[in-house]
C-alpha cells in the first residue's frame, strides 16, 4: 500500500535593521520574476525559510481499486512536488500517519481530489464529490478572469470548502493537504498547466453523544414524536441529517395535533477528547388540540356551514396542519375569493391528557366575481368559430354561478344558460342545470335542438384530481334533424322527442390530470334513453347506450412516456336506423381517430353520408418525447390511431380506419397545449381530407 509523508517546518522571520538602505529591486524576489504564478500561490520562500526536504511517495498505487460509478484514476502518481514551503498548507509540524490506499477523482482540468478508495466506493464518497462539485460550481467562476492572484484565492476557497463539507459529515479530525503537479500537453509533451491535488484523510467520523430535546417529553405522544426524530446517541454526525430530522419532527408535531409547537435552532457541542458531539434542540410542544367549529368573517358571502362542507375535517378530529392548508387551497380554488387567512383559536385547553379544542377562524377577501370571455378560432373540424360567455360566480351564495354562453360559426349556432352550485352539500360535488338551443352541421348530421340537462356528481378538476369520481343526471330534448345533405340532394327532416337518464363512474390512478406520465384510468357510462319519432309513423324506442374506456401511461425511458387508449361503446335495444341520427355512435376527430373529420369514420349510405352505427371500437398509441427545447417545455408526440363503427351492437370490423401523424405539446403551468397533425392512412378520396389539424388543451387522452 502506497503512503504519503509530508513535513513542513516554518522558521521565524529574521529581523533586519530599519536603517539598512534597500533598493526597490532588492524588495522583489527573484522567484517573483522567474516564476510569478508559483510565487503568488506559495509566497516568498526567502521569507518562509527553506524548510526540510519533503519526501513524497506516489499517492496512488497501481493496485488501487476503481469503483465503477466514479471517474477514478488510481494509478497515476503526482508528476512533481514543490520543494518550497506552502504558506497555505494545512499540515502539522508532525508527520502524517500512514495513509490508506488513495484514489483520485478529477474535478476539472486544474483540480483533483484524492482520498481513501474504500470511502469513495461507498455512497458517502459519491455524495461528497457531488456536493463539492455543486457548491464549487455555485461560485460561478469565470475562466476569462483567471489570473495568478485569483488562482491562489480559488485554491484557498477549495480547501476551505473541503474542510466545511468534511465537518458537515462529522469528520472533525480530517486532514487536508495540497500537492502541486503539472499537466503534460499531449501535443508538445511539455508541462503547461499547474494542477492542484488535494489529499484528504477523513479520519474517524464523530458520533452523537447526549441529545437534549427540551420539553418534548411533556407531549402525550412523546414516544411517537421521539421516534420521528430519528437521531440517537451513537449515530454518526451529519449536519444535513440534523436539519432533515428537525423538519421531520416539526411536521409530525403539526400533523398530530400541536399547532402551537416551537423548535429552537439546534446547537452541537463538539468534544474532541470523546470524539462526540452533544446535540441540544429545545422543543416546546405547546399542547395537543382537536378541530372545533369553523367561523367566517363574511357569512352572507361564504357561510361557515358552506366552508365546513368544503373542509376535509370534522369537529373532534385531531388537528393537522395539512388539513388547514388544504382548506385554504380549496377556498382559493372557488374563484370567488382573492385571499384566505385561517387562524386556529383555542376555546378549551388540554386537560388530563385529553386534547383541547380549536375554532378555525376563516378570514376571506372577495375576489372578482364576474368574467367576460371570448375566443375566435378556426379548425378543420369546426370551421370558423366565435365564442363568447359571461358568468357571475356567486350570484346565489354560496358559490351559485350563472353562466350565459353563445357560439357563432360556420358549422354551429348555439346559445345556453347554465346554473351550477359548486361544492354542493360536500367537497367537490357539483349540481348543474343547463338549458340550451343549437343549430349544428357536422360531417354526419344537421340538427336543430332545444334541450335541458341536470346533473349531480363528484368530479375531478385541474386543482383537485380525484381517484374516484361519479355523475348522475337526466335530460330531455326536442330535435329536428337529418343526415347531412351531400351534393345538394335534400333529405327529409325528422323530429324526435328524447328523454334520458345517465350515470358514469371513473377511476383515475394517473399522476396528473392534464399531463399524466404513469398510471392508468378507467371509466364506465350507462345511459338508458327513450325516443319518440314525431313523424307520420310515430314510434317509441327504448334502448341503452353503454360506453367503457381505459388509458395507461408508462415511462419508457428518460423523457419518454408511452400512452395507450382503448374505447368500446354499444347501443342495445334498438336498430340504428330507428334512433335519431344525432344519438347514434360515430368516430373520428381530435379525441378519436386523428386524421379524419369529426364523425367521419364508419359506415356511409349510397349518398356517401356517414350514417353512424350501434357499436364502436377505438385504439390509440403515442410516444410523448421531451425535446429539451424552450427550457424543456416542448414535446414531440408521434401517434397511431384506429377505429371502427359497426351497424350492429356487436362490432364486425367491416369499416376500420387508420390514422397516424405527429403532434407537439407546449407545456404550461396549467397543462400542455396540444397541436396534432394527422393523416388518414386509408382515406376515401371523395370525403376525407389528406390531412387534419387539431388544437386543444391537455393531452389527447
Amino acid at each position: 500500500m502506497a503512503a504519503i509523508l509530508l513535513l513542513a517546518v516554518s522558521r521565524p522571520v529574521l529581523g533586519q535593521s530599519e536603517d539598512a538602505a534597500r533598493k526597490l529591486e532588492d524588495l522583489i524576489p527573484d522567484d517573483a520574476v522567474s516564476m510569478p504564478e508559483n510565487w503568488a500561490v506559495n509566497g516568498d520562500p526567502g521569507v518562509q525559510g527553506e524548510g526540510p526536504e519533503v519526501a513524497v511517495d506516489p499517492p496512488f498505487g497501481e493496485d488501487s481499486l476503481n469503483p465503477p460509478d466514479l471517474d477514478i484514476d488510481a494509478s497515476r502518481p503526482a508528476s512533481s512536488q514543490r520543494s518550497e514551503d506552502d504558506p497555505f498548507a494545512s499540515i502539522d509540524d508532525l508527520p502524517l500517519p500512514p495513509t490508506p490506499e488513495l484514489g483520485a477523482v478529477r474535478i476539472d482540468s486544474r483540480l483533483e481530489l484524492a482520498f481513501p478508495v474504500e470511502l469513495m466506493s461507498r455512497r458517502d464518497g459519491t455524495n461528497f464529490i457531488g456536493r463539492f462539485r455543486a457548491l464549487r460550481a455555485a461560485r460561478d467562476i469565470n475562466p476569462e478572469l483567471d489570473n495568478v492572484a485569483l488562482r491562489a484565492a480559488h485554491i484557498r476557497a477549495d480547501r476551505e470548502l473541503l474542510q466545511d463539507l468534511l465537518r458537515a459529515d462529522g469528520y472533525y479530525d480530517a486532514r487536508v493537504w495540497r500537492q502541486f503537479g503539472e499537466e503534460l500537453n499531449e501535443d508538445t509533451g511539455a508541462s503547461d498547466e499547474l494542477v492542484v491535488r488535494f489529499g484528504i484523510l477523513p479520519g474517524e467520523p464523530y458520533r452523537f453523544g447526549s441529545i437534549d430535546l427540551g420539553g418534548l417529553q411533556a407531549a402525550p405522544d412523546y414516544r411517537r414524536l421521539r421516534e420521528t426524530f430519528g437521531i440517537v446517541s451513537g449515530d454518526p454526525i451529519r449536519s444535513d441529517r440534523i436539519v432533515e430530522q428537525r423538519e421531520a419532527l416539526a411536521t409530525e408535531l403539526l400533523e398530530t395535533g400541536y399547532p402551537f409547537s416551537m423548535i429552537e435552532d439546534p446547537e452541537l457541542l463538539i468534544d474532541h477528547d470523546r470524539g462526540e458531539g452533544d446535540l441540544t434542540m429545545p422543543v416546546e410542544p405547546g399542547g395537543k388540540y382537536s378541530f372545533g367549529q369553523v367561523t367566517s368573517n363574511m357569512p352572507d358571502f361564504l357561510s361557515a356551514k358552506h366552508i365546513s362542507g368544503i373542509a376535509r375535517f370534522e369537529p373532534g378530529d385531531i388537528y393537522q396542519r395539512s388539513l388547514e392548508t388544504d382548506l385554504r387551497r380549496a377556498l382559493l380554488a372557488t374563484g370567488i375569493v382573492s385571499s384566505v387567512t385561517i387562524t386556529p383559536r383555542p376555546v378549551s385547553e388540554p386537560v388530563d391528557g385529553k386534547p383541547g379544542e380549536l375554532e378555525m377562524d376563516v378570514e376571506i377577501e372577495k375576489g372578482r366575481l364576474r368574467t367576460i370571455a371570448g375566443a375566435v378560432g378556426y379548425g378543420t373540424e369546426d370551421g370558423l368559430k366565435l365564442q363568447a360567455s359571461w358568468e357571475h360566480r356567486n350570484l346565489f351564495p354560496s358559490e351559485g354561478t350563472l353562466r350565459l354562453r353563445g357560439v357563432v360559426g360556420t358549422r354551429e349556432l348555439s346559445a345556453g344558460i347554465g346554473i351550477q352550485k359548486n361544492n354542493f352539500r360536500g367537497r367537490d360535488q357539483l349540481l348543474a342545470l343547463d338549458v340550451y338551443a343549437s343549430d349544428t352541421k357536422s360531417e354526419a348530421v344537421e340538427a336543430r335542438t332545444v334541450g335541458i340537462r341536470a346533473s349531480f356528481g363528484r368530479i375531478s378538476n385541474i386543482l383537485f384530481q380525484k381517484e374516484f369520481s361519479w355523475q348522475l343526471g337526466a335530460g330531455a330534448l326536442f330535435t329536428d334533424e337529418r343526415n347531412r345533405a351531400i351534393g345538394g340532394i335534400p333529405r327529409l327532416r325528422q323530429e324526435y322527442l328524447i328523454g334520458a337518464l345517465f350515470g358514469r363512474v371513473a377511476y383515475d390512478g394517473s399522476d396528473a390530470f392534464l399531463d399524466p406520465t404513469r398510471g392508468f384510468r378507467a371509466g364506465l357510462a350507462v345511459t338508458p334513453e327513450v325516443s319518440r319519432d314525431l313523424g307520420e309513423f310515430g314510434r317509441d324506442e327504448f334502448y341503452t347506450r353503454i360506453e367503457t374506456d381505459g388509458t395507461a401511461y408508462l415511462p419508457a425511458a428518460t423523457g419518454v412516456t408511452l400512452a395507450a387508449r382503448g374505447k368500446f361503446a354499444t347501443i342495445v335495444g334498438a336498430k340504428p336506423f330507428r334512433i335519431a341520427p344525432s344519438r347514434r355512435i360515430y368516430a373520428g376527430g381530435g379525441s378519436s381517430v386523428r386524421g379524419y373529420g369529426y364523425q367521419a369514420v364508419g359506415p356511409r349510405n349510397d349518398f356517401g353520408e356517414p350514417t353512424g352505427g350501434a357499436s364502436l371500437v377505438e385504439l390509440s398509441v403515442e410516444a410523448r418525447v421531451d425535446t429539451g427545447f424552450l427550457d424543456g417545455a416542448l414535446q414531440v408526440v408521434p401517434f397511431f390511431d384506429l377505429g371502427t363503427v359497426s351497424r350492429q351492437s356487436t362490432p364486425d370490423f367491416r369499416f376500420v380506419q387508420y390514422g397516424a401523424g405527429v403532434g407537439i405539446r407546449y407545456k404550461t403551468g396549467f397543462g400542455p397545449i396540444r397541436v396534432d397533425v394527422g393523416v388518414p392512412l386509408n382515406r376515401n378520396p371523395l370525403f376525407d381530407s389528406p390531412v387534419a389539424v387539431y388544437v386543444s388543451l391537455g393531452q389527447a387522452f
Side-chain angles (χ1 to χ4, degrees), residues 310-635:
I310 296 175
R312 297 188 189 275
F313 55 81
E314 299 287 341
D317 292 346
I318 295 299
Y319 172 86
Q320 296 181 48
R321 175 61 59 85
S322 60
L323 296 180
E324 177 188 322
T325 302
D326 175 77
L327 177 58
R328 180 183 297 106
R329 185 175 174 222
L331 290 173
L332 290 172
T334 63
I336 65 174
V337 299
S338 60
S339 67
V340 179
T341 302
I342 302 178
T343 305
R345 175 169 52 85
V347 293
S348 66
E349 298 297 328
V351 177
D352 297 332
K354 295 183 179 180
E357 184 178 330
L358 297 172
E359 282 198 356
M360 308 301 291
D361 294 335
V362 178
E363 184 174 345
I364 60 176
E365 292 185 10
K366 289 183 181 180
R368 295 186 177 183
L369 304 179
R370 301 172 184 83
T371 299
I372 298 176
V376 178
Y378 176 82
T380 55
E381 290 186 337
D382 302 324
L384 184 65
K385 181 183 288 189
L386 171 64
Q387 302 179 76
S389 65
W390 175 90
E391 69 177 15
H392 190 308
R393 287 181 294 278
N394 203 44
L395 184 63
F396 317 107
S398 296
E399 291 195 81
T401 299
L402 174 67
R403 187 169 188 263
L404 308 178
R405 68 185 188 279
V407 176
V408 177
T410 54
R411 293 192 177 186
E412 179 182 358
L413 292 173
S414 66
I417 301 175
I419 299 173
Q420 66 183 41
K421 287 278 286 185
N422 295 320
N423 296 308
F424 178 72
R425 301 183 66 85
R427 173 76 167 265
D428 298 322
Q429 294 183 167
L430 178 66
L431 178 66
L433 176 67
D434 191 44
V435 180
Y436 61 92
S438 66
D439 185 352
T440 59
K441 298 179 179 67
S442 69
E443 186 71 19
V445 179
E446 294 180 1
R448 300 167 186 159
T449 303
V450 176
I452 184 171
R453 172 186 171 100
S455 65
F456 174 62
R458 182 176 184 268
I459 60 174
S460 277
N461 55 52
I462 296 175
L463 292 178
F464 295 102
Q465 183 178 0
K466 304 293 180 297
E467 187 175 14
F468 292 98
S469 58
W470 54 271
Q471 189 176 41
L472 298 172
L477 59 90
F478 169 81
T479 178
D480 173 10
E481 60 187 53
R482 64 185 179 188
N483 283 114
R484 186 181 177 193
I486 295 179
I489 302 175
R491 299 287 179 272
L492 294 177
R493 304 187 75 96
Q494 293 175 280
E495 296 178 344
Y496 297 88
L497 185 62
I498 301 171
L501 301 174
F502 57 87
R504 176 175 171 81
V505 293
Y507 170 79
D508 187 348
S510 66
D511 61 346
F513 185 70
L514 290 177
D515 189 17
T517 59
R518 65 175 66 245
F520 71 95
R521 298 171 177 172
L524 173 65
V526 179
T527 307
E529 293 186 1
V530 57
S531 172
R532 166 164 287 193
D533 182 348
L534 300 180
E536 181 178 354
F537 304 101
R539 181 192 300 268
D540 292 337
E541 296 289 344
F542 297 89
Y543 54 91
T544 301
R545 303 165 60 93
I546 302 172
E547 180 180 308
T548 182
D549 59 88
T551 55
Y553 312 95
L554 175 67
T558 303
V560 179
T561 299
L562 298 181
R565 176 183 69 93
K567 181 179 179 181
F568 170 76
T570 184
I571 297 176
V572 294
K575 300 294 184 182
F577 65 88
R578 296 189 182 279
I579 301 173
S582 63
R583 309 302 289 178
R584 300 170 192 166
I585 294 176
Y586 300 88
S591 58
S592 178
V593 184
R594 287 164 285 187
Y596 298 87
Y598 177 63
Q599 295 184 339
V601 171
R604 294 175 181 262
N605 60 19
D606 294 339
F607 300 100
E609 302 163 345
T611 59
S615 63
L616 170 146
V617 174
E618 290 180 350
L619 295 173
S620 299
V621 293
E622 64 183 32
R624 301 167 184 173
V625 183
D626 295 334
T627 64
F629 294 116
L630 300 178
D631 295 328
L634 197 65
Q635 195 176 61

